[in-house]
Amino acid sequence: MTTSVVLFTRDLRLHDHPPLRAALEGSRAVVPLFVRDRAVDAAGYAAPNRLAFLADCLRDLDAGLRERGGRLVVRSGDLAEEVCAVVGEADADEVHMAADVSAYAHRREDVLRAALEARGCRLHVHDAVTTVLAPGSVTPASSDHFAVFTPYFRRWCERPVRSVLSAPRRIRVPDGVGSQPPPCRTDLPGLSPGLPPGGESEARKRLTAWLRGPVTGYEDHHDDLAGDATSRLSPYLHFGALSPVETVHRARRGGGPGAEAFVRQLAWRDFHHQVLSARPHASALDYRTRHDHWRSGPRAEEDIAAWKDGRTGYPIVDAAMRQLRHEGWMHNRGRLLTASFLTKTLYVDWRVGARHFLDLLVDGDIANNQLNWQWAAGTGTDTRPHRVLNPTTQARRFDPDGAYVRRWVPELAGLEGRAVHEPWRLSGAERAVLDAYPDPIVDLAEGLERFRRARGRD
C-alpha cells in the first residue's frame, strides 16, 4: 500500500480539508503529522495563549482521527528534518500541506520541497485551505495584488468559491511511526483567565450557534462594544479549526444583511492575506512609508507601559486593553481605537503595538494583525492614512451607556451614563473618590497636534 503524509500547520480540522482528501485518494494510507516547529519558538511567536489554544486543537484533531481509525503523529524540532524522518519511517512517496502567505511560510515550503526532492518524495501544496480564495487568484490588471479593499471585494464576490469537502469516514495510519503525546493546556503557565477552548468540535458548535440567530443582527450591532455582537470565531479561523470556505458557504446559504456583512469580514481576512503574500516584508516594514520618526525614550516608554496596562486615563482605551489581557481577545472596534491611540495620539511605532497584541491574542495572525496595525497607523492600505480616532468620540458612539467601560474598568463602575467616559471632568470631590484611576496621560488636542506636525500636516 502506498502512503502519504499530511502536514498540518494552520489547518487543524478534518472537515473541508483539501490536503487530507487528496492524500487519501487511491485508498492510500496516510500519516497525519503536526510538527512543533522550533523556528516558531525561536522567532518569539509561541505565545502562551496561542500554545494553549493549539494544544486544544491538536487534542481534538487526534480524537477525531481516532474515531476514524487513525491518530495524529506529533513531533518537535526542525520541520523539514522531522517531516523527512516521518517520510522515511512510513516509506511515504508524497507529502501534502496547505499553502500559507508569510515570508517564513514561503521559506519553509522551499526548504521542505528541496529536502523531500532529495529523498525522491513529492510535495503537494494546496490553495484555498486557510483562505476562501487563494492569494493571487484575484488581481488588478496593473499589479500582482489589490492595495485597496473595495475593488478587491467586488472582484472577490465575482469569483466562484470551491465546493466544501466532507470529512473522511476512515483513515488508515501505518504502524511504526513514532509520536509524542499531544500537548495539554494545563501544562502552560501565564494564560489569560478568560481564554476560550480550542478545537474543531468547539468551532463547529460555535459556528452553528452563530448562524442560527446572532448573525442576523451583525450588520447593525457589530460595532457595539458592550453588546459583544461579533462571532468570536477568529481564533478558530486562525488555527484552521474552521474552514473559511465552509463558513462562507454556510453564511450565504442563510442569507440576509447580517450574513452579508459577516462574509465581508471574511473577505477582509482574504484581502490582508493577499497583500502579505505579495509583499511579505509588510509584516515588519511599512507597506507605505510616511517617514515617521516615532517617539522613543523614557517618556515614551512610560506611555507604552500605561497603554499596555490599561491605565492611560481614557476609559474606553483602558477597557479594551484590559479585555485583551483577560481574554486573549479584543473586540474589533477596540482594536482599531487602541491602535489609533498608540500610533497617532501617543505617536508610538505600530510595531510596538503589533508585538504586544501578538503576545496576547489567541487569534494573533501575522497577516491580519500586522496589516490592521499598519491600517490604523496610516502606513498600510487605509485610503485616509492621517485619520485619528478620538477615543472619547468613539466611546460615546460605540459604548453610549458606558456598559463596556464599567465591565472592564471596575474603578469607574459607580459612575452613571456617559460620565464614565470622561472622569477627569468630574468635580474635585467626585474625582477624589476615583483616586485609583489615573488622569489622562496625554491631552488629546496636544497629541493630535504632535501627530499632524510629525506628518507635516500642521
Side-chain angles (χ1 to χ4, degrees), residues 3 42 83 129 156 165 254 265 317 376 414:
T3 301
V83 173
V129 180
W156 187 90
L165 303 172
Q265 293 305 309
V317 173

Side-chain angles (χ1 to χ4, degrees), residues 145 275-276 278-294 343-344 347-352 354 370-382 385-386 451 454-455:
H145 73 289
V275 172
L276 189 63
R279 300 291 184 270
H281 68 270
S283 65
L285 302 176
D286 290 343
Y287 178 77
R288 291 189 176 114
T289 184
R290 306 296 173 190
H291 305 289
D292 288 295
H293 297 283
W294 303 108
T343 58
K344 290 175 174 173
Y347 197 56
V348 169
D349 194 333
W350 64 266
R351 281 159 282 240
V352 173
Q370 309 301 86
L371 291 172
N372 270 320
W373 267 96
Q374 292 219 48
W375 189 94
T379 64
T381 61
D382 187 7
H386 307 298
F451 173 71
R455 287 276 173 96

Side-chain angles (χ1 to χ4, degrees), residues 99-103 106 127 134-137 144-145 270-282 367 371:
D100 211 338
V101 298
S102 69
H106 291 316
D127 289 324
S137 64
D144 58 354
H145 73 289
D270 272 20
F271 172 75
H272 286 145
H273 279 73
Q274 61 94 38
V275 172
L276 189 63
S277 181
R279 300 291 184 270
H281 68 270
L371 291 172

Side-chain angles (χ1 to χ4, degrees), residues 147-449:
V148 179
F149 175 73
T150 299
Y152 172 81
F153 183 56
R154 285 197 294 266
R155 290 282 298 279
W156 187 90
C157 289
E158 295 169 356
R159 289 294 302 271
V161 179
R162 67 166 177 80
S163 299
V164 177
L165 303 172
S166 60
R169 295 181 179 179
R170 189 76 180 165
I171 296 174
R172 289 176 288 182
V173 179
D175 297 329
V177 180
S179 175
Q180 301 168 356
C184 182
R185 77 152 62 192
T186 56
D187 299 330
L188 294 165
L191 303 182
S192 293
L195 194 69
E200 182 181 16
S201 300
E202 181 70 19
R204 297 186 71 78
K205 287 191 294 186
R206 291 187 177 221
L207 176 62
T208 297
W210 168 248
L211 295 178
R212 279 180 176 168
V215 71
T216 58
Y218 184 74
E219 182 183 36
D220 295 328
H221 303 298
H222 68 276
D223 274 325
D224 180 357
L225 284 160
D228 199 12
T230 64
S231 72
R232 288 183 175 253
L233 294 174
S234 55
Y236 303 95
L237 290 164
H238 170 64
F239 282 93
L242 269 185
S243 159
V245 168
E246 182 180 5
T247 301
V248 165
H249 276 297
R250 291 181 63 179
R252 283 175 169 169
R253 193 159 59 240
E260 292 173 5
F262 176 58
V263 169
R264 182 182 175 89
Q265 293 305 309
L266 294 169
W268 265 107
R269 184 175 180 273
D270 272 20
F271 172 75
H272 286 145
H273 279 73
Q274 61 94 38
V275 172
L276 189 63
S277 181
R279 300 291 184 270
H281 68 270
S283 65
L285 302 176
D286 290 343
Y287 178 77
R288 291 189 176 114
T289 184
R290 306 296 173 190
H291 305 289
D292 288 295
H293 297 283
W294 303 108
R295 290 173 63 220
S296 60
R299 181 59 189 275
E301 292 300 323
E302 290 176 5
D303 289 348
I304 292 167
W307 177 82
K308 289 181 178 180
D309 291 340
R311 294 189 59 79
T312 66
Y314 289 95
I316 197 70
V317 173
D318 296 341
M321 295 304 294
R322 295 184 193 189
Q323 180 183 28
L324 171 63
R325 189 170 296 279
H326 182 82
E327 295 187 348
W329 184 87
M330 187 194 293
H331 192 289
N332 186 59
R333 176 54 54 177
R335 300 188 197 207
L336 291 175
L337 69 91
T338 56
S340 176
F341 185 83
L342 182 73
T343 58
K344 290 175 174 173
T345 303
L346 297 181
Y347 197 56
V348 169
D349 194 333
W350 64 266
R351 281 159 282 240
V352 173
R355 177 72 262 179
H356 181 67
F357 271 34
L358 285 178
D359 286 343
L360 291 172
L361 282 175
V362 67
D363 62 11
D365 180 286
I366 294 296
N368 293 315
N369 187 66
Q370 309 301 86
L371 291 172
N372 270 320
W373 267 96
Q374 292 219 48
W375 189 94
T379 64
T381 61
D382 187 7
T383 55
R384 294 172 56 197
H386 307 298
R387 81 174 89 195
V388 178
L389 300 182
N390 181 302
T392 304
T393 303
Q394 292 279 302
R396 290 171 180 162
R397 182 176 179 185
F398 299 114
D399 187 30
D401 298 325
Y404 180 74
V405 165
R406 280 187 286 274
R407 182 184 308 162
W408 293 108
V409 187
E411 304 98 303
L412 305 179
L415 296 181
E416 297 181 359
R418 294 190 172 194
V420 75
H421 295 310
E422 298 177 285
W424 60 87
R425 294 188 181 276
L426 296 173
S427 66
E430 292 174 314
R431 181 68 183 91
V433 176
L434 306 175
D435 60 351
Y437 188 72
D439 289 326
I441 61 174
V442 62
D443 178 81
L444 294 180
E446 292 177 2
L448 179 61
E449 175 59 28

Side-chain angles (χ1 to χ4, degrees), residues 22 37 133 199 380 444:
D37 189 350
L133 301 181
L444 294 180

